[in-house]
Amino acid sequence: MITFRDVTKVLSGRAVLDGVSFNVKRGETFVIVGPSGAGKSVTLKHMVRLLTPDRGDVLVGDVTVSAAAGGELELIRERFGYLFQGGALLAWLSVAENVALPLREKTRMKNEEILERVHETLRLVGLENDGHKQPSEISGGMQKRAGLARAIIRRPEIVLYDEPTSGLDPVTSRTIDDLIDGLREELGVTSVVVTHDLHSALSIGSRIAMLHGGKIVELAPPAEFIKSSETEVRKFLESQFITKEGSWGQAR
C-alpha cells in the first residue's frame, strides 16, 4: 500500500531519515514509535509529499508519490485522511462545520447530503450530540475526535495519525485507541500512527516500527516487539514500564 525505499532526508544538516525502507500493508495499523526528533512526523509528511526525500522513493500503490506533482499529486492526497497532533480545528466554526469543511471545499455534494454524512461521521466518533458546539466548548479528547471525524469525512483509504493520544489522560487515550481500531474494522482503512505512547502502540498496532538515529532499529508485530533484544528498543520499553514478561506479552 505504502512503500519507502532507501529514503533519506536531511534537515538542518542532520539526516533525520537515513536510508529508511519499509512497507505498509493494506488494512493494517502500522505504528511508528521513537524518541522526540527521531523522524516520526517527518515520515508521515513524506507519505503525502509535504516533504520530498533527498534520496530514495516513496510509493503509494504503484505511484511514486515522491515524484508526483499537479493533478497526480492531488489525486494521491485524496486517498488520505490526516489527523494532526493538535486536532487543528478552526475556532470560528462549530464542530459540525469543521467536519463538513472538506466536503464543502472538495466535492459537489448537496447540502442535505453533507449534513447527513457529517451526522453519520460524528456518530462514528461518539460526537453526534456535539456538532453545534464550538471547539472551545469541548474537551481536548473531544477535539481529537472531531479532528478524526474531519479526517475520515471523505472516507479515505488511508488515515495518518500524528500523536493521536498526545496530551490526553489515560482513559481518554484508550478511547482514541478504540476509535482507531473501530474505524479500521468498520471502514476498512489502512492506518499509519505516529506515537510516543507504547501502550497505545501495543494495543492497536498490527506491526510496530521504531526509529532511532535516522534508521529503523526494529520492525515487528507487538508480541515480537516487546521481546526485542535491540538496546534502544529495550530502553524505550522500560521507560514506560513494559517488560518481556509483562502483561502485554501474556496478552499477545
Side-chain angles (χ1 to χ4, degrees):
M1 189 85 183
I2 302 172
T3 304
F4 274 52
R5 292 179 181 166
D6 194 31
V7 171
T8 294
K9 184 65 178 179
V10 177
L11 296 171
S12 301
R14 181 173 69 92
V16 180
L17 301 179
D18 186 7
V20 169
S21 298
F22 63 85
N23 72 293
V24 179
K25 301 173 184 177
R26 184 180 298 275
E28 78 169 327
T29 299
F30 188 89
V31 183
I32 304 171
V33 300
S36 298
K40 302 184 299 298
S41 295
V42 168
T43 302
L44 282 191
K45 290 175 181 177
H46 276 81
M47 294 178 185
V48 287
R49 208 182 175 191
L50 293 176
L51 289 172
T52 303
D54 296 322
R55 186 182 73 238
D57 297 303
V58 179
L59 291 85
V60 177
D62 296 326
V63 180
T64 304
V65 65
S66 52
E72 183 181 38
L73 179 59
E74 185 65 24
L75 287 173
I76 293 169
R77 286 175 172 168
E78 287 182 0
R79 299 172 67 178
F80 286 84
Y82 203 128
L83 177 61
F84 296 93
Q85 185 170 339
L89 300 178
L90 300 178
W92 58 90
L93 297 179
S94 69
V95 168
E97 288 168 340
N98 267 283
V99 174
L101 198 58
L103 297 181
R104 298 199 184 280
E105 290 191 338
K106 297 289 186 178
T107 76
R108 296 183 178 180
M109 291 176 66
K110 296 179 180 178
N111 189 57
E112 295 79 10
E113 295 173 315
I114 290 174
L115 294 177
E116 183 178 348
R117 173 70 68 84
V118 168
H119 181 75
E120 176 190 354
T121 306
L122 287 174
R123 179 190 59 78
L124 286 173
V125 301
L127 294 177
E128 61 268 34
N129 297 319
D130 300 288
H132 64 285
K133 296 178 181 177
Q134 298 299 120
S136 60
E137 297 176 314
I138 60 177
S139 67
M142 293 170 75
Q143 289 179 23
K144 285 283 180 78
R145 284 189 275 157
L148 179 53
R150 186 178 59 192
I152 64 171
I153 189 69
R154 297 183 66 193
R155 301 300 183 262
E157 297 174 57
I158 308 161
V159 181
L160 307 181
Y161 299 85
D162 192 356
E163 298 285 1
T165 61
S166 175
L168 303 180
D169 64 81
V171 173
T172 305
S173 294
R174 301 295 77 84
T175 299
I176 298 295
D177 290 344
D178 290 343
L179 277 174
I180 293 172
D181 253 350
L183 291 173
R184 179 178 56 80
E185 293 174 3
E186 189 160 346
L187 301 180
V189 298
T190 300
S191 302
V192 182
V193 182
V194 157
T195 184
H196 284 97
D197 184 347
L198 267 174
H199 292 274
S200 175
L202 292 164
S203 294
I204 65 175
S206 307
R207 291 184 296 154
I208 302 171
M210 180 168 172
L211 277 169
H212 182 82
K215 298 181 181 296
I216 291 181
V217 296
E218 186 62 271
L219 173 53
E224 296 176 21
F225 187 86
I226 64 169
K227 297 176 182 177
S228 172
S229 59
E230 289 289 336
T231 301
E232 296 304 328
V233 177
R234 296 253 46 90
K235 287 179 181 177
F236 203 64
L237 288 165
E238 290 163 9
S239 72
Q240 297 189 41
F241 307 102
I242 298 169
T243 67
K244 295 179 183 180
E245 296 76 24
S247 59
W248 288 109
Q250 295 167 13
R252 294 283 178 170

